[in-house]
Amino acid sequence: MIVALIIACEVAFWVLLAAGLAFRYVFRMPRLGLALLLCEPLLEVVLFAVTAIDLGHGAEPDWRHGLAAVYIGFTVGLGHSTVKWVDARVAHRFAGGPPPVRPPKYGRARAVHEWKVAGRWTLAAVVAMALLQAAVRHVGGDGETGSLRAWQLRMLWVIGINLVIAGSYTLFPKAAPKAAPKAAPKSEPKSEPKSEPNGGSEREPAKMR
């Protein structure tokens, strides 16, 4: 049941996102579109409530409950940026909005961008770990919590990998390619008109009859 609900929430997320942007930009109904987009957090509330009720009724915690916590955490950490990313492209395509801003490629600007990305992934992992810890405490010391602890360990790996990636761009920034120096235009030697023996300028010879 939990896995089916997670799949349903994921499908509903993209359906609400598509419908909200369609009403906002295609059908020119921004209030209705905004209302649909604001329904997105309700999906996580429903999933959280169902998972808590399932554990409260004595269900043995397993990988499905851990997956639910991870899904909620990643939606909290990455959902808003995903909506903004899609919104910018739909606005540009259908509403004449500005072209989406591409992330920087080189130097300190790229490092700052990578740290922002790492921050969002870290937030997602921390929220997931907090929910997993709440589930562990809810089950108590007598319950089997090994699967929940395993998910917490995976979230630590997620944080570590993102910190390593961001740190690599800080310690070893990617330099912009050097532009090739422009070659100076070659000056052609000025040709002086040839003089005929009589001192006049050269002319086309007359056709012989």
Side-chain angles (χ1 to χ4, degrees):
M1 176 182 176
I2 300 294
V3 176
L5 185 58
I6 293 174
I7 296 174
C9 287
E10 180 67 13
V11 172
F13 174 86
W14 291 104
V15 169
L16 285 175
L17 179 58
L21 295 178
F23 278 102
R24 189 174 183 181
Y25 295 113
V26 179
F27 302 116
R28 299 293 189 267
M29 301 172 68
R31 292 185 178 179
L32 179 57
L34 180 61
L36 290 173
L37 293 177
L38 291 177
C39 290
E40 298 276 14
L42 296 178
L43 301 174
E44 284 66 56
V45 174
V46 171
L47 180 59
F48 176 79
V50 171
T51 305
I53 292 172
D54 190 45
L55 291 174
H57 286 172
E60 192 70 21
D62 55 17
W63 64 271
R64 293 170 295 183
H65 300 93
L67 180 62
V70 171
Y71 178 83
I72 294 173
F74 275 49
T75 304
V76 171
L78 305 175
H80 180 66
S81 60
T82 301
V83 172
K84 286 183 62 178
W85 187 88
V86 178
D87 179 80
R89 281 147 183 81
V90 174
H92 175 62
R93 176 66 177 81
F94 295 101
V101 179
R102 295 186 176 183
K105 295 183 178 180
Y106 309 107
R108 182 182 177 186
R110 179 57 187 267
V112 171
H113 170 75
E114 292 296 333
W115 279 109
K116 290 180 179 179
V117 173
R120 290 193 289 267
W121 281 86
T122 301
L123 173 62
V126 168
V127 171
M129 291 176 64
L131 293 175
L132 291 165
Q133 185 62 32
V136 170
R137 297 191 63 178
H138 178 75
V139 173
D142 298 333
E144 178 59 42
T145 59
S147 60
L148 301 178
R149 295 296 188 187
W151 277 110
Q152 287 183 319
L153 182 60
R154 294 185 185 102
M155 294 304 98
L156 289 176
W157 274 101
V158 170
I159 295 174
I161 290 172
N162 279 275
L163 293 180
V164 168
I165 293 174
S168 66
Y169 278 94
T170 302
L171 298 176
F172 310 102
K174 188 176 181 181
K178 295 181 179 180
K182 296 182 179 180
K186 296 181 179 180
S187 57
E188 298 181 357
K190 296 181 179 180
S191 57
E192 297 180 358
K194 296 180 181 179
S195 301
E196 295 183 350
N198 57 3
S201 60
E202 182 180 13
R203 296 182 182 181
E204 181 180 356
K207 293 182 180 181
M208 298 181 61
R209 297 181 181 178

